[in-house]
Amino acid sequence: MTILWLGDKDCHEVQRVGGKAANLSRLASGYRVPAGFCITPDLYHQWLECPKQEMALLQDLHGIISREYQEMTARCGVVDPAVAVRSSALDEDGQGTSFAGQYDTFLNIQGPDAISDAIVKCWDSVGGERMEAYRKEHNLPAESLGVAVLVQQMVAAEVSGVVFSANPISGNRDEVMINATWGLGESLVSGKVTPDTLVVQKLDFKIKDSQIGEKGLMTVLTEGGTEEVRVPRAQRQAPTLDDEKTGEITKLAIDLEREMGWPVDLEFAYYANDLYLLQCRPITTLSHQGLRQQTITL
């Protein structure tokens, strides 16, 4: 099957859609995960095997995306919904290597033509020099096992961030660490902004440490894409999260760590005070320091 929707049983399988999509699919029924579908690696392998001037595959792809985009419209209840187009490689988001930031991502894409173009660009990014260097550094096979592509409704995030269900710096399993910033998360994950950083105790949800960052830039949606803009001066050193949101994010991290069976690295977004889960993967950089501490059972 070429298309699998998040929440479909077959979409839970890493070998079918890669770790990124499989993890989200498993969680879609119980958490606020934006609607999305995966193009399985079948088409990617056809793309590798056919000449780049072959138009039949591109026409097939466009027909598939046109049909599924109509379904996306029905599920979202939005005319011409904006989507994010991301790779979900079969060897991505594993316990040892996350591939975080290695593949190209395309945001705020609308319409079958633009989505099809973004999918092809995702396929092309799999064999780039950046990926070759990453695979060599982590002693992985030179050739990818295959790549699915996740097409998912965009969340026009007012606040976004990353949360770890264990402290990745100290290794303390009894703490949750949250990084949050204004707007979309791209300014944060690219390292262009100093986010707010909170360390929260799992036992009582008490904030152990809070550092409010100088959030000078934020990524916002523009027509046909995104743009980095200056944060209004009054917001730059204002906290992005109140106590209620901090508690909600902490609970999400604890719940998902229990459900997945390993410490989790999550991406989240808030829009209209609703918390969205955008990604869930293992923490692959967890320090060995503090690993002997007993994890609190809640």
Side-chain angles (χ1 to χ4, degrees):
M1 186 178 294
T2 301
I3 297 294
L4 295 172
W5 281 84
L6 295 181
D8 292 348
K9 185 176 180 180
D10 287 346
C11 198
H12 300 356
E13 300 178 14
V14 174
Q15 66 270 26
R16 298 288 301 277
V17 297
K20 179 183 296 178
N23 291 342
L24 285 177
S25 184
R26 287 175 56 187
L27 299 169
S29 63
Y31 300 88
R32 190 177 286 111
V33 175
F37 61 87
C38 257
I39 300 91
T40 62
D42 306 351
L43 281 180
Y44 168 70
H45 291 303
Q46 291 179 43
W47 174 253
L48 288 181
E49 293 169 2
C50 77
K52 288 297 185 287
Q53 67 270 20
E54 177 62 56
M55 295 303 297
L57 177 59
L58 294 177
Q59 291 171 353
D60 288 346
L61 175 63
H62 186 272
I64 292 168
I65 298 306
S66 295
R67 183 186 67 238
E68 301 304 328
Y69 191 60
Q70 290 181 357
E71 175 66 17
M72 173 80 78
T73 297
R75 294 193 182 203
C76 297
V78 177
V79 177
D80 295 331
V83 301
V85 181
R86 294 185 168 98
S87 68
S88 181
L90 299 194
D91 45 7
E92 183 179 8
D93 285 358
Q95 295 286 343
T97 52
S98 71
F99 285 77
Q102 298 303 311
Y103 293 110
D104 289 341
T105 293
F106 302 91
L107 303 178
N108 200 24
I109 307 299
Q110 288 180 286
D113 290 343
I115 295 171
S116 298
D117 289 345
I119 290 168
V120 171
K121 290 176 182 176
C122 281
W123 289 340
D124 285 341
S125 75
V126 175
E129 293 181 3
R130 181 174 61 189
M131 280 307 312
E132 182 180 350
Y134 185 89
R135 289 182 174 282
K136 185 175 181 180
E137 179 184 352
H138 291 84
N139 297 315
L140 295 171
E143 296 297 325
S144 170
L145 296 176
V147 63
V149 178
L150 176 60
V151 178
Q152 193 173 22
Q153 184 185 15
M154 277 290 303
V155 176
E158 297 155 349
V159 173
S160 58
V162 177
V163 55
F164 304 91
S165 68
N167 191 321
I169 297 175
S170 68
N172 192 331
R173 301 289 184 102
D174 298 331
E175 296 174 349
V176 169
M177 177 177 282
I178 303 169
N179 296 140
T181 193
W182 301 115
L184 303 175
E186 274 51 47
S187 294
L188 170 59
V189 298
S190 66
K192 295 181 180 179
V193 66
T194 302
D196 296 344
T197 300
L198 298 92
V199 177
V200 186
Q201 296 178 169
K202 289 182 176 177
L203 178 62
D204 54 11
F205 284 37
K206 181 179 179 181
I207 298 175
K208 181 178 179 180
D209 186 38
S210 176
Q211 302 291 329
I212 304 302
E214 174 68 31
K215 301 171 290 292
L217 294 173
M218 64 179 176
T219 306
V220 298
L221 299 179
T222 58
E223 186 174 351
T226 63
E227 182 182 359
E228 283 188 346
V229 300
R230 300 294 297 176
V231 174
R233 187 172 297 276
Q235 283 185 266
R236 291 179 191 175
Q237 292 186 327
T240 51
L241 302 172
D242 57 21
D243 289 347
E244 182 178 355
K245 286 185 172 65
T246 299
E248 186 178 22
I249 294 167
T250 299
K251 183 178 185 304
L252 176 66
I254 294 170
D255 289 347
L256 290 180
E257 179 180 80
R258 182 186 298 115
E259 185 157 348
M260 302 305 285
W262 25 257
V264 293
D265 168 358
L266 311 176
E267 292 182 17
F268 68 88
Y270 270 101
Y271 175 70
N273 287 321
D274 286 332
L275 174 61
Y276 289 85
L277 175 62
L278 305 182
Q279 184 153 293
C280 176
R281 60 191 174 211
I283 302 176
T284 58
T285 57
L286 192 61
S287 168
H288 291 291
Q289 187 178 357
L291 295 187
R292 295 181 181 177
Q293 297 188 29
Q294 183 178 0
T295 301
I296 297 168
T297 302
L298 299 177

